[in-house]
Amino acid sequence: MSEVSFSSKRLLKLIGLFFLSLLLPAGCGFLHNARIDQLIVWCFISGMCAICFGMYMEYERLHDGTAMDAGNDYSLLAFVYLIGLAAACVAAFFPAYTAPVMAIGVLCNGTFPSKTGSAMAVYFALLAAIFCGSGTYTAAAYVALAVVSIFLTELALRQELHIWAVMLIVSMSVVIPACCCYLDTHALQPWIFAITLPGSILTVLILRVVPKLRDRVVTAEEISFDTVMDRQYHLQRMIENYSSVDYDHALRVSRVAARIAQELGADEKLAMAGGFYYRIGKLEGEPFIENGVRIAQQNCFPARLVRILEEYNGINCPPSTLESAIVQISDMIVTKFDLLDKDTFSTGWNRDIVIYQSMNEKSSEGLYDQCGLSMNQFLKIRELLVKEEMLL
């Protein structure tokens, strides 16, 4: 089941980017005393490019995924896009050839090390050239700086090549504008060196921030897990308001799944979130598996978490990951204990029998054959559930 569901969070960010793509160039043109026809053209180019960019982001998220997880809500993307757009607008107030375009390129390429970052770098370089109103050589200089940033950013982030790449970034930030200006005016302009040097220093400073932004891209799922497991998260409150029994069940499954994942060295956060939201589709009724997946997609849940919900109890498809199997086992055992009366578990023997029979029955059906759960791990889970009475 692929994610094709509507997401209001992502849509709102894309709509916001579109309107800001109109407002920022309009404000820039107003402060720059641009003619009304220039202002309209600036807004048109910026707005249409924002639409194309948004469409491409959706396609990449759903089908490619090189820049982001399917659960990405575009927060970081929107931040970098707006920084680049604002920098392009500020470039209109710089003398020709002197805007710190390479700094924008490093920010885009360093944060999104894929064709996404490359496209953003070149786009904002062209936008800066348009806004500054200079000629062909200025546009050539800015595009060249963006291309060089694509080549050098990744090298600069590698420890063994950092010094050499930084030296090239600083020198190219000054030399390329000076050379293009010479081709334009047929004279060397010393003032360009003085104005472009601070921009090269800014580029080097941004290189120190880029690794942290890239880490935010890589750890987007962990951040999402922390968010969805927050006690004040709106879906947690919805489940609690819907049914205190279901909420208590979700907490117990989540706790059991997290404990098992910790024991097996699996992703504890993923198992915890999967256990809590395993039955979220009940909020909207049948078909509750499909409804649960849709709710998760609308709220930008990480793709691995959505997959666990798709594989609920192996009804539509068997668990495909260790975490999915852990959540299924946890929910199955907690459900068994919910359904049977307390007198049934008056002795440890009866309790153990329920755990053994339930797990062996599902295993014999081949439910765990595709998830990578080894026999040793299966036995560990079974013994853990038997010994850890506080888990249930």
Side-chain angles (χ1 to χ4, degrees):
M1 185 182 300
S2 62
E3 186 189 0
V4 295
S5 182
F6 167 82
S7 171
S8 57
K9 288 186 176 181
R10 282 189 286 264
L11 179 62
L12 288 174
K13 286 187 173 62
L14 292 177
I15 292 175
L17 285 180
F18 172 74
F19 281 107
L20 286 171
S21 295
L22 300 179
L23 292 174
L24 287 177
C28 173
F30 177 78
L31 294 175
H32 207 54
N33 295 319
R35 300 192 313 270
I36 186 65
D37 58 334
Q38 286 181 311
L39 192 149
I40 292 174
V41 171
W42 290 4
C43 292
F44 178 78
I45 293 175
S46 181
M48 292 304 297
C49 286
I51 292 175
C52 295
F53 186 76
M55 293 175 63
Y56 174 73
M57 284 299 95
E58 276 293 281
Y59 178 84
E60 186 176 64
R61 182 182 62 83
L62 294 173
H63 301 289
D64 192 354
T66 54
M68 63 195 70
D69 176 78
N72 195 297
D73 67 354
Y74 297 163
S75 295
L76 182 57
L77 177 69
F79 171 76
V80 174
Y81 187 95
L82 290 177
I83 291 294
L85 181 60
C89 292
V90 171
F93 301 94
F94 277 74
Y97 304 104
T98 61
V101 172
M102 188 173 280
I104 306 174
V106 168
L107 176 64
C108 296
N109 287 292
T111 305
F112 299 99
S114 69
K115 53 183 176 289
T116 304
S118 301
M120 291 171 70
V122 175
Y123 166 62
F124 290 130
L126 285 171
L127 212 57
I130 292 173
F131 290 166
C132 75
S134 297
T136 304
Y137 284 105
T138 301
Y142 287 174
V143 172
L145 288 172
V147 172
V148 168
S149 74
I150 296 172
F151 295 148
L152 295 181
T153 300
E154 196 64 33
L155 298 179
L157 295 177
R158 297 181 181 276
Q159 185 174 1
E160 65 274 16
L161 299 173
H162 179 75
I163 297 298
W164 297 104
V166 167
M167 291 173 61
L168 282 172
I169 287 174
V170 172
S171 60
M172 297 300 278
S173 297
V174 177
V175 171
I176 289 178
C179 290
C180 289
C181 181
Y182 179 82
L183 291 174
D184 186 15
T185 63
H186 305 291
L188 189 61
Q189 305 292 338
W191 57 269
I192 287 185
F193 294 93
I195 298 180
T196 54
L197 187 58
S200 66
I201 296 174
L202 174 64
T203 304
V204 174
L205 293 176
I206 289 178
L207 274 172
R208 299 180 63 86
V209 179
V210 158
K212 296 181 180 179
L213 294 177
R214 183 176 292 191
D215 289 342
R216 289 286 301 273
V217 176
V218 174
T219 61
E221 288 188 347
E222 294 183 9
I223 296 171
S224 295
F225 292 146
D226 291 339
T227 299
V228 299
M229 291 308 296
D230 191 308
R231 178 65 178 79
Q232 300 302 316
Y233 187 61
H234 71 280
L235 286 179
Q236 288 223 16
R237 297 198 303 270
M238 284 179 63
I239 295 173
E240 186 174 16
N241 293 335
Y242 171 78
S243 169
S244 60
V245 173
D246 285 327
Y247 182 73
D248 179 67
H249 176 90
L251 286 176
R252 294 169 65 199
V253 174
S254 177
R255 184 173 67 245
V256 172
R259 178 67 180 89
I260 294 174
Q262 184 184 50
E263 182 72 17
L264 299 186
D267 191 324
E268 186 177 347
K269 287 186 176 182
L270 174 59
M272 181 184 298
F276 186 85
Y277 291 103
Y278 207 44
R279 297 186 175 188
I280 193 174
K282 291 182 68 177
L283 292 175
E284 297 192 8
E286 294 291 346
F288 77 87
I289 296 178
E290 288 76 7
N291 285 334
V293 169
R294 181 174 55 80
I295 292 172
Q297 290 171 346
Q298 289 177 346
N299 287 273
C300 304
F301 278 21
R304 294 190 297 157
L305 179 52
V306 175
R307 188 63 183 171
I308 289 178
L309 305 186
E310 290 177 344
E311 296 169 353
Y312 174 80
N313 207 28
I315 295 175
N316 292 332
C317 50
S320 60
T321 63
L322 178 58
E323 290 81 9
S324 184
I326 289 172
V327 171
Q328 188 279 327
I329 292 172
S330 302
D331 181 73
M332 174 182 64
I333 299 301
V334 171
T335 300
K336 289 279 187 180
F337 277 60
D338 286 342
L339 294 176
L340 297 174
D341 58 75
K342 294 182 180 180
D343 292 337
T344 305
F345 302 116
S346 58
T347 66
W349 182 84
N350 286 328
R351 179 179 180 277
D352 298 351
I353 287 296
V354 170
I355 296 173
Y356 273 68
Q357 287 183 344
S358 299
M359 292 186 61
N360 291 343
E361 178 184 344
K362 293 296 182 181
S363 179
S364 64
E365 295 174 0
L367 187 63
Y368 311 121
D369 291 350
Q370 300 179 26
C371 65
L373 180 67
S374 67
M375 178 57 68
N376 183 53
Q377 290 173 325
F378 180 85
L379 295 176
K380 276 187 177 181
I381 294 174
R382 200 172 63 177
E383 293 306 311
L384 179 64
L385 292 173
V386 168
K387 294 177 181 178
E388 297 286 340
E389 295 187 9
M390 294 302 294
L391 292 175
L392 304 171

